[in-house]
Amino acid sequence: MARTTSSSTGGPSAPRNRTPQPLPRRRRTAGDFVKAFLAFVALAVLVFGVPGALAFTVGWPLPGGAPSLDWLQQEITVGTFINVLTVVVWLAWAQFTACVLVEVKAALSGVGMPGRVPGAGGSQILARQLVAALLLVGATAASFAPGLSQFGQSLEGNQKPASAASAQQTPGGLFGQEQAGSAASAVAEQAEQAAAHAGGSTAKDGDTKYYRIQPPEGRHHDSMWEIAERHLGDGRRYKEIYQLNKDREQPDGSRLSEASLIRPGWIMEMPADAHGGELVEMPDEAPKVSQDVKEQISDYAKSGDHQQGGGAKEQGGGQQGGGAKEQGGGSVDRDTAHITIPEQRPSEGAGAGHGQQEAPVASSGSESEGFSFGLPEALIGAPLLAAGLLGALGRRRRHALWQSAMGAVGGRRGMEPPTPTGDAADVQDALLVGADPEGVRLLDLSLRGLAASLAEESRALPTVYAAWLSNGDLHLQLAQPAGRPPAPWQLGQDQTFWMLARTDAERYEDVDTAAPYPGLVSLGTLDDSRLLLNLEAVPGVVSLSGTEADRAAVFASVAAELATNGWSDRMTITLVGFGQDLTPLAPNRLRHLDDIEALIETMEAETRQRRGALGAAGHDSVLTGRTGPAQHTRWAPHLVLLAAEPTGDDAVKLAELAADASRLGIGYLVGTESGDLPGAAWEMEITSQGKLLAPLLGLELEAQALPEAQQRAVVELFVDAAPEGEGGAGSGRTGATPPFLVDVTEQGRPAVYARLVGTYEIIGLDTPDGDRSPLMHEALALLLLHREGVHPRVLSSALWPRGVTEDVRDALVERLREWLGTEPDGSPRLRADQSGRLTLAKSVVSDLDVLRSLYHEATQGRGANSRAVRGRMLTDALVLVRGPLLEDRPQGRYGWLTHEIIDAQLPLLVADIGLALSEFHLEKGRAEKAIEALNASLNSAPGDERLWNELLRATHEVGDPVRLQQVAADLVSRSGARGVPPRTEALLDELLPTWRSGLTAVS
């Protein structure tokens, strides 16, 4: 879908929410200069004049030596009173001077609120006013905007259009440090805020309340959630503040476009019931507020009635104008003239935005009436997790097939993994619907490409706190500015954001470099943007509070994604207090510990080891090691997921271990009941409504979770797919019956016959007219490969990976049903079972069905007791093999085959048929026939070691050494750099002892 772009020329259409720029200075009056001069004189007198006068007139007020008993008996004179008062004045002067130094330091640093001097009270207020008055002459009207500028624009002012800007939805200080403006500007703001404690300035209505966003104090940053919590009693009411102030021009010229995007110095109109007089400014009742602040609030109050596209009150009341305009997948905002992120509202249509979603979710709304099409939405809404699980499950099933085939005597019989049922079937369908393997591939390529580019420039990897994915665009949030990123990466809304557009990521190629940020893991979504937190980079512990069940669902999701994701190489994931059943997902990555004592002992040892290794290698952190020569073998992350809250000394020890963990590539995610955990750098909460809250970070995400029932179903899929000897229920099953058997007699002639092995041909149906023919052929192929049935949502996500509406999907199903026709009894050949899954009638078969049926009948059916029947059926089966599956499929289609294991099953099945037919011929001494059968199988399974071994034996039976040497030479040539497998090498030593010296001459 084409995206609307903004002007880069700075014309009328250029975004108004622009890059931070220094704003115009206030115009100073003569009175301002007089005030500044008087403040200077007052400070000079109080700081320098007072001690000078005391020293000149009184001198040293304390005794010259140590006091004695005689000293207590002396007469109290006027001089004694003067000395005591002098000491008191000296102490008062020291306290005031300390206040001045504290205020000057805060002004010069420009970061945080001034510290409080104990017992200072009015002295510090006086010092603050004098310092502010002195510096106010040179202060700008507002500080440089320290928050985020409009998303997607660089500091040089290039107006790069940003579509669905995920990182824009985060506060400017999220995971990072707010940059303060000029020192004078910061002091001016502090002076204004100190005066504002008594009230505000001129407003449109006398009872309207306003709030000025506070500058950061240490790691704490003001957020709309906290403002609502302090002054409205409920952080969730932040949306009311947002609606009152949305799109209104702020004093620095920018506008509020996202609830989490606020900057120090901005003004927020508050709801009528806001309270907290020390922070909520009521301008008419605050005579001490400066005239400049009064003018800013007065101008801001007027902006509420003159917004383009409807006033703030109108937006707050019903989202008219701009609200209706924003519905859909992203539309042009009249104020900013670029694609904005629409707010999630209950009124948004279910089909809006299909075609450009981050995850290929098809028909995400309610399903057609008449069937229960419900699937686990938690997995459908987690595309990266689903892709990781689906990919790992496919690898597990392929490994089971090959292990069983290579270890079976006489070949594997029954190659189908168990067909999932119940919750496991629903979870597998949800994985197929929700998975976004292309998104995972692009994320992996983007991160590795970035690492390779930085290595070429001899630059270290920057510390990344988080990544945001929005419509395929990737935004990395850095811990601190790291300069300009290498092309094609660009600077984002400020220097702590690096951005890569999806179109640029698609041009990346595979590079041989280590995964730079393997600790990234999905936490949830904010509107259409997905947040990935880099657990190994957090400067301390990440705590998660909430009920035990809700926390467990988040922990399971994090563990499953870390264990199976596609953007990591190696890692260790330690699960403590939960997840023992999760280890089948990735036995090489996941390990389980029973208690916190074992964890602390383990992590103390590993922390020491990593510190020593980093020092010996000369690295500051694991990131510098990931771009060096040892990148693939060292510095893998270790992520600890502790579900139960540690108490007492254990909590302190864990906090000490986590203090230096980010440098060592160790991350800690710890559950807590109270929400107050020692050493917690970031605190999050999971609610019963599925919200992941981080108030101090300004985040309210739709949490990604893996509930217990779905967790059990996922584990069941992996256990059933495990190879023999690893607990798999169906591994190595000899004699297993295929899921669908065809009547291979003359009476079993099908009504519709599809050839899938080789070129795709359909017999018994007319070719559909028009451009829909390829789509219908693909849908039929999917149904033929899944005789157990295909969920409608799986069908639609396979055919339309970027999403589709229900009416389009249903129309295709209806056309497919009409094309396939009906049985003699009038029943349709395409039908739906009780669960709503689409199934084909038995009269619709494929050559793959016939191939499986012939092999099963030859080895376990009638052919098991009849040699003639066995030979005929095996010969007929081998004739059906005309090439690889769907050999002529068009490029860009049939992408769903990557989720299948048929590409591993078919060669093994052909090899089993060839081996069985070879054995059949060798029993009667027909070596040539056996060689012919083996060569035919090798055309489809050229890498099957069993076929080569039998070919060597059959050729040896012929008694022609030259021919045997030629076969051995072909085998060695195909083996390449890997060399001949050990068992085949031993066989060659037995059959052709001179093969090592004689092959050169033959080849």
Side-chain angles (χ1 to χ4, degrees):
M1 182 176 68
R3 296 183 295 183
T4 305
T5 59
S6 60
S7 172
S8 62
T9 62
S13 61
R16 297 188 184 184
N17 211 7
R18 53 193 176 275
T19 304
Q21 298 289 341
L23 300 170
R25 297 178 179 270
R26 293 187 178 97
R27 292 185 177 181
R28 302 305 177 196
T29 63
D32 292 329
F33 287 96
V34 172
K35 291 179 182 178
F37 176 74
L38 294 177
F40 172 76
V41 172
L43 284 172
V45 170
L46 292 173
V47 175
F48 301 105
V50 169
L54 289 174
F56 179 76
T57 59
V58 180
W60 184 252
L62 299 177
S68 63
L69 291 176
D70 294 338
W71 181 78
L72 296 176
Q73 298 174 357
Q74 292 180 0
E75 182 182 357
I76 298 176
T77 64
V78 174
T80 304
F81 278 106
I82 293 175
N83 286 337
V84 171
L85 292 175
T86 301
V87 171
V88 173
V89 174
W90 272 107
L91 292 175
W93 170 85
Q95 185 185 61
F96 178 78
T97 302
C99 293
V100 172
L101 293 175
V102 167
E103 296 297 325
V104 170
K105 177 181 181 296
L108 295 179
S109 67
V111 178
M113 296 293 289
R116 293 186 181 274
V117 178
S123 296
Q124 186 162 5
I125 294 177
L126 175 62
R128 181 178 304 165
Q129 292 174 342
L130 291 174
V131 172
L134 177 62
L135 298 182
L136 194 58
V137 174
T140 56
S143 65
F144 288 105
L148 304 181
S149 65
Q150 178 59 31
F151 191 76
Q153 301 166 9
S154 71
L155 294 178
E156 285 71 50
N158 59 314
Q159 305 298 325
K160 176 70 179 177
S163 128
S166 55
Q168 187 185 22
Q169 302 172 10
T170 68
L174 170 62
F175 315 123
Q177 293 79 26
E178 290 273 9
Q179 301 288 328
S182 65
S185 173
V187 173
E189 286 190 352
Q190 292 163 6
E192 293 163 2
Q193 290 153 5
H197 288 175
S201 68
T202 305
K204 180 177 60 177
D205 299 312
D207 60 350
T208 304
K209 303 177 183 180
Y210 295 90
Y211 175 81
R212 281 179 68 84
I213 306 300
Q214 303 295 302
E217 183 174 1
R219 289 194 310 177
H220 174 267
H221 303 270
D222 225 346
S223 70
M224 206 168 283
W225 178 285
E226 280 199 328
I227 297 170
E229 196 169 56
R230 287 197 305 265
H231 305 300
L232 299 177
D234 186 356
R236 292 177 175 84
R237 292 185 63 188
Y238 77 92
K239 295 181 180 179
E240 298 177 33
I241 305 175
Y242 172 69
Q243 294 300 337
L244 283 172
N245 298 277
K246 182 176 182 292
D247 293 332
R248 295 170 65 177
E249 186 169 352
Q250 293 290 337
D252 63 359
S254 55
R255 297 172 184 266
L256 175 67
S257 60
E258 296 299 329
S260 57
L261 181 59
I262 58 176
R263 305 175 186 168
W266 277 12
I267 300 168
M268 295 288 115
E269 181 179 339
M270 302 292 289
D273 62 337
H275 54 81
E278 76 282 0
L279 292 178
V280 178
E281 301 172 355
M282 304 178 66
D284 291 342
E285 303 173 11
K288 293 184 180 180
V289 174
S290 69
Q291 185 62 34
D292 291 321
V293 176
K294 289 183 179 181
E295 291 176 359
Q296 288 182 11
I297 297 180
S298 177
D299 292 341
Y300 186 75
K302 295 176 184 178
S303 71
D305 294 331
H306 303 284
Q307 297 181 75
Q308 298 182 17
K313 294 181 180 180
E314 177 188 1
Q315 293 185 8
Q319 289 301 325
Q320 298 175 6
K325 163 182 64 61
E326 288 179 349
Q327 294 185 20
S331 56
V332 178
D333 185 280
R334 287 193 290 268
D335 287 336
T336 57
H338 64 92
I339 298 179
T340 60
I341 306 173
E343 286 186 57
Q344 290 184 345
R345 305 183 184 90
S347 59
E348 288 188 356
H354 282 299
Q356 275 295 333
Q357 301 181 26
E358 177 205 350
V361 180
S363 305
S364 57
S366 59
E367 297 294 339
S368 303
E369 297 182 0
F371 295 110
S372 174
F373 286 173
L375 290 176
E377 296 295 333
L379 287 170
I380 292 178
L384 304 183
L385 170 61
L389 288 171
L390 198 61
L393 182 61
R395 290 191 296 272
R396 180 67 57 86
R397 286 173 172 170
R398 287 180 173 86
H399 179 55
L401 286 173
W402 282 103
Q403 187 180 71
S404 180
M406 296 301 109
V409 178
R412 177 179 172 86
R413 305 181 188 278
M415 298 168 40
E416 302 297 326
T419 301
T421 58
D423 290 343
D426 289 341
V427 161
Q428 179 172 275
D429 286 340
L431 295 177
L432 290 167
V433 172
D436 182 15
E438 180 64 11
V440 171
R441 186 184 71 86
L442 291 179
L443 175 61
D444 184 45
L445 286 177
S446 302
L447 296 176
R448 293 181 194 269
L450 174 63
S453 298
L454 290 172
E456 290 177 0
E457 298 176 7
S458 299
R459 296 170 60 185
L461 287 167
T463 300
V464 169
Y465 280 155
W468 289 87
L469 281 172
S470 180
N471 290 339
D473 296 341
L474 174 61
H475 312 267
L476 297 182
Q477 188 155 7
L478 313 184
Q480 58 189 5
R484 177 165 291 278
W489 290 77
Q490 305 173 30
L491 282 174
Q493 59 263 24
D494 66 16
Q495 296 210 45
T496 61
F497 273 89
W498 286 2
M499 189 272 287
L500 181 69
R502 181 187 181 99
T503 52
D504 292 328
E506 289 172 345
R507 292 196 289 266
Y508 263 120
E509 297 179 355
D510 290 326
V511 292
D512 184 21
T513 189
Y517 304 112
L520 285 169
V521 65
S522 303
L523 290 185
T525 57
L526 182 63
D527 293 334
D528 290 332
S529 302
R530 183 168 304 277
L531 169 65
L532 288 85
L533 178 67
N534 189 6
L535 280 180
E536 68 166 337
V538 178
V541 171
V542 179
S543 69
L544 177 66
S545 61
T547 66
E548 184 177 358
D550 292 331
R551 293 201 319 266
V554 174
F555 272 98
S557 170
V558 170
E561 185 169 297
L562 288 173
T564 61
N565 73 52
W567 55 88
S568 302
D569 294 326
R570 299 181 305 111
M571 70 169 62
T572 300
I573 307 161
T574 298
L575 312 180
V576 186
F578 84 105
Q580 188 170 9
D581 294 338
L582 290 174
T583 50
L585 303 185
N588 294 330
R589 285 192 181 185
L590 289 169
R591 70 175 179 181
H592 179 267
L593 297 178
D594 293 326
D595 51 47
I596 184 71
E597 289 78 9
L599 172 67
I600 290 177
E601 181 181 355
T602 300
M603 297 315 298
E604 284 178 342
E606 180 156 350
T607 299
R608 289 193 301 269
Q609 187 272 333
R610 289 200 174 212
R611 282 175 180 161
L614 278 177
H619 294 305
D620 296 328
S621 71
V622 296
L623 289 178
T624 58
R626 286 183 185 154
T627 54
Q631 55 178 306
H632 291 288
T633 58
R634 303 171 71 179
W635 321 122
H638 186 167
L639 305 175
V640 175
L641 307 183
L642 174 58
E645 180 177 4
T647 57
D649 294 340
D650 291 337
V652 175
K653 291 178 181 178
L654 193 64
E656 293 173 351
L657 288 171
D660 194 31
S662 60
R663 186 176 69 92
L664 306 176
I666 303 174
Y668 294 88
L669 177 62
V670 181
T672 171
E673 294 286 348
S674 62
D676 185 14
L677 189 69
W682 298 331
E683 298 175 348
M684 299 184 295
E685 176 189 358
I686 177 66
T687 70
S688 57
Q689 292 77 32
K691 298 286 186 180
L692 189 68
L693 309 179
L696 295 182
L697 303 177
L699 285 178
E700 181 179 351
L701 303 173
E702 293 290 338
Q704 178 172 299
L706 187 61
E708 183 180 2
Q710 297 173 30
Q711 177 183 333
R712 289 197 303 266
V714 167
V715 172
E716 180 183 338
L717 289 174
F718 277 79
V719 170
D720 286 346
E724 186 177 7
E726 295 184 14
S731 302
R733 295 166 297 126
T734 301
T737 303
F740 178 71
L741 287 173
V742 177
D743 184 356
V744 293
T745 65
E746 286 295 328
Q747 291 74 27
R749 186 177 297 275
V752 177
Y753 181 67
R755 292 177 175 172
L756 304 179
V757 184
T759 56
Y760 190 2
E761 300 175 8
I762 298 178
I763 301 172
L765 293 176
D766 295 331
T767 302
D769 296 331
D771 297 332
R772 296 191 180 99
S773 178
L775 192 65
M776 295 176 68
H777 278 73
E778 185 176 358
L780 179 57
L782 178 62
L783 291 166
L784 286 167
L785 291 177
H786 290 277
R787 304 303 305 221
E788 72 277 9
V790 176
H791 196 287
R793 297 181 72 173
V794 174
L795 177 68
S796 57
S797 65
L799 300 180
W800 295 280
R802 291 185 176 272
V804 68
T805 54
E806 295 175 30
D807 56 340
V808 174
R809 180 201 64 201
D810 293 342
L812 171 73
V813 173
E814 187 58 35
R815 281 193 296 270
L816 195 60
R817 183 176 288 114
E818 293 178 0
W819 181 42
L820 291 173
T822 60
E823 296 285 78
D825 61 2
S827 60
R829 294 188 178 123
L830 177 63
R831 59 197 69 174
D833 61 15
Q834 292 181 349
S835 66
R837 287 178 170 82
L838 301 171
T839 60
L840 294 172
K842 291 186 176 181
S843 61
V844 182
V845 302
S846 70
D847 54 355
L848 187 59
D849 297 326
V850 177
L851 193 66
R852 289 167 170 159
S853 299
L854 286 171
Y855 177 67
H856 175 77
E857 189 70 19
T859 56
Q860 300 175 54
R862 291 178 294 140
N865 300 317
S866 173
R867 174 179 170 81
V869 172
R870 182 167 72 254
R872 184 177 70 253
M873 288 187 170
L874 290 174
T875 302
D876 291 344
L878 201 56
V879 170
L880 291 176
V881 181
R882 301 174 297 119
L885 187 76
L886 298 169
E887 185 175 16
D888 60 344
R889 61 180 180 266
Q891 187 175 5
R893 303 202 68 91
Y894 296 85
W896 48 269
L897 281 173
T898 58
H899 302 316
E900 307 285 341
I901 62 169
I902 185 62
D903 59 334
Q905 288 174 308
L906 182 58
L908 287 175
L909 176 59
V910 174
D912 282 350
I913 294 172
L915 291 170
L917 188 56
S918 171
E919 180 184 4
F920 172 81
H921 289 305
L922 287 176
E923 287 176 355
K924 294 296 185 178
R926 297 194 292 265
E928 291 292 348
K929 287 288 186 180
I931 293 172
E932 182 181 346
L934 292 169
N935 282 325
S937 298
L938 281 170
N939 290 331
S940 296
D944 197 308
E945 180 186 358
R946 298 170 302 162
L947 291 175
W948 283 104
N949 290 349
E950 290 305 312
L951 181 60
L952 288 171
R953 292 189 179 97
T955 306
H956 182 264
E957 290 290 327
V958 175
D960 187 347
V962 175
R963 189 174 177 182
L964 181 59
Q965 284 185 332
Q966 184 62 56
V967 172
D970 292 343
L971 173 59
V972 172
S973 176
R974 287 176 179 268
S975 299
R978 296 175 301 173
V980 178
R983 288 186 296 186
T984 304
E985 187 174 354
L987 179 62
L988 281 172
D989 288 337
E990 174 66 23
L991 301 180
L992 190 63
T994 61
W995 69 278
R996 288 182 173 85
S997 59
L999 292 185
T1000 304
V1002 175
S1003 57

